[in-house]
């Protein structure tokens, strides 16, 4: 479980003057059903967007090594998919969301744990 506050500005400058966006409050939970299947649910709130959610599942083909992820996000139920590979202290994640008007938004993460 977690709670995150994004884009919090306390500098005394209005967001219109500084060009920053509104804050977003996130809360979510992740539950690993067994050693191969996990589910996640995030609820978000922003003054300009209102409430919206993200949810997804991930399936570990090889526990702790190879994972496939599927999800839905936002009021428009925008689908997302991706996969990840973990080797020793390295992780590589590739994914994309698929918006009907904006098209595909690919994402790439390369992580090293130390």
């Amino acid at each position: 479980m977690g709670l995150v506050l994004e884009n919090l500005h306390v500098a005394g400058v209005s967001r219109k003057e500084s060009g920053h966006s509104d804050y977003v409050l996130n809360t979510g939970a992740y539950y690993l059903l067994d050693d191969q299947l996990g589910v996640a649910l995030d609820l978000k709130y922003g003054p300009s967007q209102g409430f919206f959610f993200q949810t997804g599942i991930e399936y570990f083909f090889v526990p702790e090594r190879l994972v496939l992820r599927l999800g839905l996000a936002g009021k428009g139920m925008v689908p997302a998919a991706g996969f990840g590979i973990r080797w020793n202290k390295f992780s590589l994640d590739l994914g994309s969301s698929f918006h009907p008007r904006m098209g595909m938004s690919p994402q790439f993460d390369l992580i090293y744990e130390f």
Side-chain angles (χ1 to χ4, degrees):
M1 295 187 74
L3 180 66
V4 176
L5 184 57
E6 297 177 23
N7 298 331
L8 179 63
H9 303 286
V10 294
V13 177
S14 77
R15 70 177 184 274
K16 291 179 183 173
E17 293 171 4
S18 65
H20 294 290
S21 61
D22 290 335
Y23 72 89
V24 177
L25 178 64
N26 304 321
T27 185
Y30 176 82
Y31 186 71
L32 194 58
L33 298 169
D34 61 21
D35 64 340
Q36 289 187 290
L37 185 63
V39 294
L41 177 64
D42 291 343
L43 180 62
K44 297 184 175 193
Y45 172 77
S48 61
Q49 304 102 338
F51 285 98
F52 59 100
F53 78 98
Q54 296 176 318
T55 187
I57 61 171
E58 62 180 4
Y59 180 75
F60 291 89
F61 285 104
V62 179
E64 299 298 319
R65 294 278 184 230
L66 183 62
V67 63
L68 175 65
R69 297 182 184 98
L70 299 172
L72 296 170
K75 295 177 182 175
M77 303 291 284
V78 176
F83 71 92
I85 299 170
R86 186 173 187 175
W87 188 259
N88 295 327
K89 294 187 176 207
F90 286 96
S91 295
L92 173 66
D93 282 322
L94 301 171
S96 186
S97 59
F98 309 95
H99 193 275
R101 282 182 252 150
M102 296 175 14
M104 192 169 91
S105 298
Q107 296 135 16
F108 169 80
D109 291 330
L110 180 61
I111 301 164
Y112 177 75
E113 298 174 22
F114 55 95

